[in-house]
Amino acid sequence: MMMDVSRLKYRVEVLGDRGGIERYGPFNEQKAREFFEVEESLGGTARIVRLEEEGFRETWRVVAGCGDWDGGPRAEALPPQ
């Protein structure tokens, strides 16, 4: 059975202890929210971002977040593969 990768448009970003971002995914929306809720329950700093395609351009938009992201790195666009 093949997985429909077009539905895997979410990832979870976790702010690490040293200020770097650890990225997990890609996930479908349900799995991303489950992963995010675990991080939130642990008191972490995390966010869900969604891939949006605008023509040839791909950008990541923040859907939900927890913790203090002030001054932290932002979600950025990834180069097309």
Side-chain angles (χ1 to χ4, degrees):
M1 182 170 135
M2 294 196 56
M3 180 178 289
D4 181 8
V5 294
S6 66
R7 296 181 57 212
L8 303 178
K9 295 192 177 209
Y10 294 82
R11 71 180 183 204
V12 177
E13 298 181 338
V14 178
L15 193 58
D17 296 337
R18 297 184 179 160
I21 295 178
E22 298 173 24
R23 293 177 175 89
Y24 302 93
F27 300 115
N28 64 30
E29 184 177 8
Q30 178 182 349
K31 291 296 181 189
R33 290 196 180 276
E34 290 171 6
F35 193 104
F36 172 77
E37 287 170 8
V38 170
E39 290 295 326
E40 186 177 35
S41 71
L42 296 174
T45 300
R47 61 189 173 197
I48 300 173
V49 293
R50 177 182 63 229
L51 177 65
E52 294 185 357
E53 298 177 39
E54 301 167 358
F56 293 109
R57 188 168 162 238
E58 296 180 345
T59 58
W60 291 91
R61 306 262 188 227
V62 175
V63 175
C66 67
D68 184 15
W69 283 96
D70 287 342
R74 299 177 159 268
E76 79 278 353
L78 295 178
Q81 296 180 354

